[in-house]
Amino acid sequence: MIAYLDPGSGSLIASALVGGVAAVGVAARQARSRVTGAFGRKRRPELEPDAPAAPDTEPAVEPPADAS
Amino acid sequence: MAGYDPGSFRDPDGAVFVEDGAVRRGLSEQGARDWERLAATAFFDRLVASGHLVRTTVHEGAAPPSPRGRHWAAVLDHEPIPVVSYPYEWPFAMLREAALVQLDVLLAALGEDMSLKDGTAYNVQFVGSRPTFVDTGSFEPSTGPWPGYRQFCRTMLFPLMIQAYTGVPYHPLPRGSVDGPAPSDVAGMFSGLRRLRKGVLRNVTLHSMLERRVTKPSEQVKGKMRSAGYSTELAKATARNLRKLVAGLEVGRRGREGSVWSDYRDTCSYDDADAATKAEFVRAALAEGDPGLVLDLGANDGAYSLLAAEHAGYVVAVDGDEQVVDRLYRRLRAEGREDVLPLVMDLADPSGGIGWRNRERRAFAERVQPDVTLALALVHHLAIGANVPLPEVVGWLASFGGRLVVELPHPEDPMVRRLLAGKPPGLFDDYQRDAFQALLAEHCLVHRQETLPGGTRTLYLAEPKP
């Protein structure tokens, strides 16, 4: 189901931060998989030519680049 | 697509139309599935019973094709709202109540694994002082974070924070842009120490930063948040924290200083005999004809609106002073009144149509068809204070269509002299009692007139000519 309203990706993450303490768990899990994701990219750079150029400018809760 | 509400076109799964005076909503197949799920919840009946959700039933009848030319799978009947109003016409406390209802409805929905697909302030309407959520088409199964958060920020939270934290009334912002101020706009207003005010860091500063930096499509971000464990519980935590933030927002003393009219009743020039005669004239005028809707223009503290409510089904009380209307709203809300709707509007600059083709949110005059219009202690403010030519003032009052109860302060009235003192001499020589009477007679049949005992004000009861 696709929503008629684009909620805005930045706003989705911001709304999670507003959740406060509860958001920390999700943020931590995402940060952890982002770290593993970063290592993964280093080992197989040729498989991800479209990987974001500057992932470190993205916020801590930004989901891992290779999650899907 | 005649009959469709011009503000109800964004969601392809439903649209509101007016038919035989009834307010109905056509639903797509997806919309009909969401409605069935909503109607089966416990919170639906609970919210309708408490007045927080518009009373809604299934309509057994056809609907005109949707604004996109498709046929609907189902049609709903909504209880009509007496007079539609918009956030830029609400005082601070009213927008705050609307925001709280929005969040309470969201929390109730999340409690049964449903959510709201948007979060705009236009989904809340007022019946007197009672806010009610009117967009049943907004309910959908919960699938993660609240998609309406950004709209909620732009149309409700940011305006409230701006007024609470800076003291500047928020109204020009939503009136100037139907979507409301963006996070980056508001971030500029909350620089320096204001960033430390409650809720600013996350809802404004970080929100604006994230909006700039996160460029992945939101469906992708949503999917990843879900796979990282974002649950309905987290959406509930967000809604609960927003509720706590909104409930704590208040306009400080600094933002409440310097109102022109807030002490009007204490300092105005009526003596007791004038006040009693005026009240009696108004009361007698309203007692005739059993009016359904009374429009009180320049209502000030609402004294005559409350008097009108004794004789009318519904009263719309309009005044340009936000602080005075805010005070009236709080009083009406505390008393649980559903028969008086207080609105903020500069009557020399009433709300026009905004949004798509200037029709999405309609002009004020299109939303109010009063049986009686009260214009008490108003004419001199428009004619002298705002330089509106007297023929324009009378024509405008008559254009509302209902009977008129108008008060004309004579040129020698102390309040008129005070207004004239700030203007070049001779500029308002045409502001005369006989000139006003001639204009009134041009547009209306004057049924009755009475000069107050003080001798400086005359009241008229007039009926616009067909």
Side-chain angles (χ1 to χ4, degrees):
Chain A
M1 186 173 58
I2 302 293
Y4 84 93
L5 175 78
D6 184 344
S9 25
S11 299
L12 287 175
I13 297 169
S15 83
L17 292 181
V18 175
V21 181
V24 172
V26 171
R29 260 172 303 220
Q30 290 192 331
R32 198 171 56 218
S33 58
R34 185 166 165 238
V35 170
T36 20
F39 281 123
R41 269 201 296 281
K42 273 181 191 163
R43 284 200 300 272
R44 313 174 263 109
E46 72 283 1
L47 294 180
E48 287 190 10
D50 294 326
D56 56 329
T57 63
E58 294 184 358
V61 290
E62 167 61 13
D66 59 349
S68 53
Chain B
M1 52 183 278
Y4 274 98
D5 184 307
S8 175
F9 62 86
R10 293 191 196 232
D11 183 0
D13 284 324
V16 172
F17 60 97
V18 176
E19 189 176 60
D20 311 327
V23 179
R24 302 203 165 118
R25 183 187 300 268
L27 296 172
S28 71
E29 281 181 21
Q30 178 62 52
R33 276 196 295 275
D34 290 344
W35 155 252
E36 276 164 27
R37 184 158 170 179
L38 168 66
T41 61
F43 77 81
F44 175 74
D45 292 329
R46 200 173 66 234
L47 289 179
V48 169
S50 67
H52 288 148
L53 185 58
V54 69
R55 195 168 288 281
T56 303
T57 51
V58 174
H59 172 66
E60 305 293 347
S66 84
R68 289 170 172 79
R70 298 186 199 135
H71 286 283
W72 296 123
V75 181
L76 302 178
D77 244 326
H78 291 308
E79 187 173 20
I81 298 296
V83 172
V84 169
S85 60
Y86 298 136
Y88 42 87
E89 297 164 348
W90 302 338
F92 178 88
M94 220 163 153
L95 180 63
R96 190 179 56 189
E97 285 294 296
L100 291 175
V101 161
Q102 164 88 260
L103 294 169
D104 286 341
V105 169
L106 174 66
L107 277 164
L110 289 170
E112 292 186 52
D113 272 327
M114 290 197 83
S115 183
L116 298 172
K117 62 172 84 154
D118 49 18
T120 164
Y122 294 94
N123 283 349
V124 180
Q125 281 297 326
F126 280 86
V127 178
S129 67
R130 168 171 64 87
T132 187
F133 189 84
V134 294
D135 187 11
T136 55
S138 182
F139 293 89
E140 63 176 8
S142 171
T143 57
W146 180 30
Y149 170 72
R150 180 162 65 173
Q151 270 191 333
F152 177 78
C153 285
R154 296 185 66 168
T155 61
M156 298 180 122
L157 182 62
F158 293 164
L160 289 170
M161 286 171 113
I162 288 166
Q163 189 159 349
Y165 294 161
T166 72
V168 179
Y170 66 80
H171 306 77
L173 289 165
R175 189 174 160 180
S177 143
V178 76
D179 291 331
S184 55
D185 302 335
V186 184
M189 298 181 206
F190 292 124
S191 53
L193 284 177
R194 279 194 184 133
R195 264 186 227 170
L196 305 177
R197 300 301 296 265
K198 205 170 170 213
V200 172
L201 183 67
R202 289 184 215 182
N203 293 286
V204 180
T205 315
L206 281 172
H207 190 176
S208 155
M209 191 192 85
L210 288 163
E211 200 166 66
R212 217 170 39 244
R213 299 215 176 154
V214 185
T215 51
K216 286 199 174 76
S218 46
E219 277 303 308
Q220 203 180 330
V221 169
K222 206 165 136 185
K224 286 179 176 177
M225 286 170 78
R226 262 205 305 274
S227 62
Y230 194 100
S231 62
T232 301
E233 281 313 306
L234 198 41
K236 274 189 214 164
T238 298
R240 269 196 302 269
N241 283 354
L242 285 172
R243 198 192 189 288
K244 211 158 81 188
L245 172 63
V246 169
L249 289 173
E250 186 52 278
V251 182
R253 218 167 8 145
R254 212 171 45 145
R256 284 294 182 218
E257 278 169 9
S259 161
V260 183
W261 301 108
S262 57
D263 300 318
Y264 180 72
R265 193 65 54 188
D266 303 329
T267 56
C268 70
S269 58
Y270 294 96
D271 64 27
D272 291 347
D274 275 10
T277 309
K278 182 170 163 179
E280 202 36 58
F281 187 95
V282 175
R283 196 186 296 276
L286 290 165
E288 295 168 22
D290 199 14
L293 177 64
V294 172
L295 174 60
D296 184 2
L297 297 171
N300 196 261
D301 65 2
Y304 286 96
S305 300
L306 293 168
L307 188 151
E310 293 170 21
H311 302 276
Y314 200 70
V315 180
V316 180
V318 185
D319 199 276
D321 189 319
E322 195 265 346
Q323 183 170 332
V324 169
V325 180
D326 191 83
R327 200 184 287 175
L328 173 61
Y329 175 75
R330 287 171 201 247
R331 177 180 163 195
L332 294 167
R333 182 71 173 146
E335 293 171 5
R337 299 281 298 245
E338 298 192 3
D339 52 353
V340 180
L341 176 73
L343 299 178
V344 183
M345 205 182 308
D346 175 357
L347 291 170
D349 178 22
S351 317
I354 66 167
W356 173 241
R357 298 180 85 175
N358 299 130
R359 286 187 218 154
E360 192 175 349
R361 306 295 163 208
R362 288 171 293 148
F364 178 67
E366 289 174 35
R367 288 175 273 134
V368 191
Q369 284 84 42
D371 299 303
V372 177
T373 300
L374 303 181
L376 305 170
L378 173 71
V379 170
H380 55 315
H381 290 295
L382 292 171
I384 300 168
N387 285 40
V388 180
L390 208 49
E392 276 282 320
V393 175
V394 177
W396 174 67
L397 289 173
S399 73
F400 283 99
R403 273 182 293 147
L404 283 177
V405 181
V406 198
E407 177 180 23
L408 180 79
H410 307 168
E412 58 277 14
D413 181 84
M415 295 301 272
V416 177
R417 288 163 76 159
R418 202 199 282 184
L419 283 173
L420 284 171
K423 304 276 186 175
L427 200 61
F428 293 98
D429 284 349
D430 56 348
Y431 183 87
Q432 298 294 339
R433 191 174 158 192
D434 50 356
F436 178 81
Q437 276 175 211
L439 287 165
L440 197 60
E442 212 175 280
H443 291 274
C444 304
L445 300 167
V446 179
H447 291 315
R448 212 160 47 237
Q449 67 181 70
E450 183 172 359
T451 299
L452 299 181
T456 64
R457 294 182 170 221
T458 304
L459 289 157
Y460 301 87
L461 170 63
E463 184 136 18
K465 290 176 184 166

